[in-house]
Amino acid sequence: MPATSEELARPVIIGRSSSHFTRVTRIFAAEMRVDYSLRVVRDLMSPTAEDYGGNPALKIPSLQTPQGVWFGSLNVCRELWRRSSPRPRVVWPEDLDQPLLANAQELVLQAMSTEVSLIMGKAAGTSDSSTHHTKMRQALVNMMSWLEENARPILAALPPRDLSYLEVTLFCLVTHLEFRDVLPTAPYSALNEFRQQFATRASASETPFRFDT
Ligand SMILES: N[C@@H](CCC(=O)N[C@@H](CS)C(=O)NCC(=O)O)C(=O)O
């Protein structure tokens, strides 16, 4: 779909208000004070790359800019940061130079992806009793337990910052598990403490999950 003149004036996030990877980019946009518009991808089963901003992986989010389209949440967040002025101090995945922090980022992103597979499988009517489905659920529970056990040391070990990709993705993961009813999150007390604290940011309260109509 060609961009409209309004879309060219400010970057366009191509995604959905119910998507956790999209919310990561919307929180970044708010934190970076970068104005954008949201183009909703209505059909996540579409096999047409153009519906995803041209992303051949058929995934959201993408960011459309006059320079071109950026695929995936990390690329989008980096571009939003480059567009910000002044640029906040952001801790990126490559800054996590100890196993605890680097593994935390890996597991948060993997848990988000596993959640996507579970939700997409359900939407496609795949059986819940398959061995692969059971393994994915077990992996998700394992990852959440690891994150719960390590949450406090992880947050304490993060370098000084205004924002970190790790915290934004962790917040979107924990809140999305509850929103999509994938896993009850009440038992995770350390993660809930973090969620409550992060939720006080305007960027979080301005971007609640909801199903686009
Ligand atoms: N690596 C990508 C993953 C994006 C992703 O999995 N997005 C989900 C929505 S939250 C999606 O496009 N799901 C559709 C599908 O898997 O077919 C990123 O970081 O943005």
Side-chain angles (χ1 to χ4, degrees), residues 19-22 44 58-61 72-74 116 120 165:
S19 139
H20 50 4
F21 281 109
T22 303
L44 267 196
L58 311 180
K59 296 276 188 187
I60 53 170
S73 51
L74 183 55
V116 170
M120 294 304 289
Y165 193 71

Side-chain angles (χ1 to χ4, degrees), residues 80-164:
L80 291 167
W81 176 79
R82 284 189 288 265
R83 284 166 176 260
S84 65
S85 174
R87 287 182 180 161
R89 240 178 344 170
V90 175
V91 173
W92 296 107
E94 63 272 23
D95 301 320
L96 306 176
D97 58 1
Q98 51 166 295
L100 178 71
L101 293 178
N103 291 343
Q105 183 69 81
E106 166 65 18
L107 293 183
V108 170
L109 294 176
Q110 186 53 57
M112 291 173 79
S113 295
T114 302
E115 201 198 350
V116 170
S117 301
L118 289 168
I119 292 169
M120 294 304 289
K122 195 171 178 184
T126 322
S127 161
D128 283 8
S129 57
S130 74
T131 325
H132 185 232
H133 183 274
T134 308
K135 183 184 172 187
M136 277 197 294
R137 275 206 76 88
Q138 184 60 55
L140 184 59
V141 169
N142 292 352
M143 290 187 279
M144 294 311 296
S145 301
W146 189 95
L147 289 167
E148 167 66 18
E149 273 165 36
N150 292 287
R152 291 188 180 103
I154 290 166
L155 295 166
L158 276 171
R161 66 207 176 273
D162 297 310
L163 194 69
S164 69

Side-chain angles (χ1 to χ4, degrees), residues 151-205:
R152 291 188 180 103
I154 290 166
L155 295 166
L158 276 171
R161 66 207 176 273
D162 297 310
L163 194 69
S164 69
Y165 193 71
L166 177 58
E167 287 164 291
V168 179
T169 49
L170 180 59
F171 176 75
C172 292
L173 166 66
V174 174
T175 49
H176 198 257
L177 287 171
E178 199 71 46
F179 172 67
R180 293 306 305 259
D181 231 355
V182 173
L183 210 63
T185 54
Y188 303 124
S189 58
L191 292 175
N192 273 311
E193 198 178 289
F194 159 75
R195 179 184 56 78
Q196 274 167 14
Q197 207 207 328
F198 196 91
T200 60
R201 289 179 181 248
S203 59
S205 55

